[in-house]
Amino acid sequence: MASTRDQAAQVRLANPHLQDDRHDVLYHIGLDSRKHDFKAMFGDTKVVCMGGSSNRMKRLAEDLVAELGIRLPTGQGLVNVIPNTDRYVMYKAGPIVCVNHGMGIPSISILLHELAKLMSLAGATGVTFIRLGTCGGLGLEPGTVCISSRSLNSQLQSHLSQFILGQPVQREAVFDPDLARELLQLASGLNIEAVSAVTLCTSDFYEEQGRTDGAICEFSMEQRNEFLQRAFEAGVRNIEMESLALAAITHRLGIRAACMAVTLLDRFKQDQVQLDHSLIAQFEGRMLRILAAFIRSRNICG
Ligand code: R2B
Ligand code: URA
């Protein structure tokens, strides 16, 4: 359970160049502090839910409204609150924000910079960021929910590497252990198959994830299997493409965050995702139930 101190904590940026009373344009999410009242729009935010696709995030917001009985402003319904951009969509249901992050580290990292600035300017307190995604599993039944403890890069190192002003900078990629434990317990209480996982996060779906079915492949089946086995021995149980940036950026800013991803296949057995969409939606429903239980436990929806 979050402490009283955590609940009152505002998002603190790590940038001495930014003044509190600044004019700020959050370009990729189409918000401008002179045109939008960030405090009125987002000051009550408690949970920011993220996932790859725009349609899925709209559905998630609709499902949360139904599941949690969230009352929307009369006559308004659920609307995309950032219609000035088509890069991302964002829905707000009471204190819950649902926003899509696109695919890969660059896309989610741009979003995380702007979301952190938005939450800070809005004066939101006790905010938790949660990603709900899909992934490949290692030795897990399809449909297993993986809750990341930390994230490894493609060299199996637990940090995000960036080049900043031409110099390498490494940021530790760890998730809040209490939050991960809490989500795991909620999953267990709901009888949902879930594991605590070290997550491998790559910048490519095909070659970097050891797939032999991309347009280019310059390694053998033996080398593929050896890499996946080495990842498994390093604790990796799932593979996806955003957790490294989510962990590194939120950890650097002191934002409580978690990454849940449901496995679509066992990568020890195959490379191709062959599930039909209705089964994927059913698997994603498992994460919705865990998320709804988490939000209920926080008593934040009135
Ligand atoms: C999981 O699924 C996407 C690739 O298919 C990517 O966004 C991810 O992390
Ligand atoms: N997303 C990934 O990044 N990898 C997979 O294998 C499945 C979904």
Side-chain angles (χ1 to χ4, degrees), residues 285-301:
R286 297 177 181 177
M287 294 185 292
L288 164 74
R289 287 165 58 212
I290 300 170
L291 175 68
F294 170 75
I295 294 171
R296 252 189 229 106
S297 77
R298 288 295 195 267
N299 281 324
I300 52 177
C301 286

Side-chain angles (χ1 to χ4, degrees), residues 17-285:
H17 299 284
L18 298 180
Q19 312 297 321
D20 286 347
D21 60 353
R22 69 189 180 275
H23 170 216
D24 206 339
V25 176
L26 307 178
Y27 170 62
H28 299 86
I29 53 175
L31 292 170
D32 179 327
S33 64
R34 284 213 182 121
K35 297 185 190 145
H36 302 99
D37 183 344
F38 290 177
K39 282 193 168 45
M41 289 173 78
F42 296 102
D44 65 343
T45 305
K46 294 294 176 202
V47 182
V48 176
C49 310
M50 281 168 264
S53 99
S54 50
N55 284 337
R56 196 149 53 78
M57 285 302 102
K58 179 164 192 246
R59 252 195 341 265
L60 179 70
E62 288 166 351
D63 290 347
L64 286 173
V65 166
E67 180 92 7
L68 298 168
I70 297 172
R71 272 196 301 274
L72 298 171
T74 31
Q76 225 178 307
L78 257 184
V79 286
N80 175 16
V81 293
I82 53 169
N84 295 331
T85 177
D86 58 7
R87 300 278 185 195
Y88 303 98
V89 296
M90 192 186 284
Y91 296 88
K92 186 151 183 302
I96 319 295
V97 166
C98 297
V99 56
N100 75 308
H101 56 56
M103 277 194 284
I105 291 170
S107 182
I108 196 172
S109 93
I110 292 168
L111 178 70
L112 287 168
H113 275 272
E114 295 184 9
L115 281 177
K117 294 206 296 172
L118 177 63
M119 290 301 130
S120 160
L121 285 167
T125 54
V127 182
T128 300
F129 284 15
I130 303 184
R131 163 170 142 74
L132 294 87
T134 56
C135 61
L138 284 182
L140 299 172
E141 272 302 302
T144 306
V145 176
C146 295
I147 299 170
S148 307
S149 54
R150 63 199 170 97
S151 188
L152 303 186
N153 65 23
S154 294
Q155 293 176 288
L156 304 181
Q157 301 159 329
S158 185
H159 54 250
L160 172 69
S161 281
Q162 287 176 288
F163 285 90
I164 300 178
L165 306 184
Q167 298 303 314
V169 173
Q170 301 181 343
R171 295 201 175 122
E172 205 187 345
V174 289
F175 287 100
D176 185 295
D178 296 333
L179 178 58
R181 204 173 308 117
E182 199 178 332
L183 293 171
L184 207 56
Q185 275 165 5
L186 289 168
S188 151
L190 292 163
N191 284 324
I192 293 172
E193 192 62 35
V195 295
S196 167
V198 175
T199 300
L200 169 60
C201 178
T202 65
S203 292
D204 166 52
F205 182 80
Y206 288 99
E207 292 171 277
E208 277 196 32
Q209 293 191 8
R211 283 190 157 81
T212 53
D213 63 340
I216 302 172
C217 182
E218 296 174 340
F219 49 79
S220 66
M221 211 54 195
E222 288 67 36
Q223 287 170 315
R224 167 205 188 276
N225 295 342
E226 187 274 332
F227 173 71
L228 293 180
Q229 187 59 36
R230 198 148 51 84
F232 185 83
E233 281 160 19
V236 172
R237 294 296 176 269
N238 69 324
I239 309 175
E240 46 78 92
M241 298 178 63
E242 292 83 20
S243 58
L244 202 59
L246 177 62
I249 294 174
T250 55
H251 182 65
R252 176 70 182 82
L253 291 174
I255 298 172
R256 195 183 313 111
C259 181
M260 282 198 270
V262 71
T263 61
L264 301 182
L265 72 169
D266 181 354
R267 288 299 318 289
F268 281 137
K269 297 187 177 150
Q270 65 196 87
D271 286 342
Q272 296 235 311
V273 178
Q274 288 163 337
L275 295 182
D276 63 51
H277 281 278
S278 64
L279 195 51
I280 296 179
Q282 194 183 312
F283 287 169
E284 286 170 348

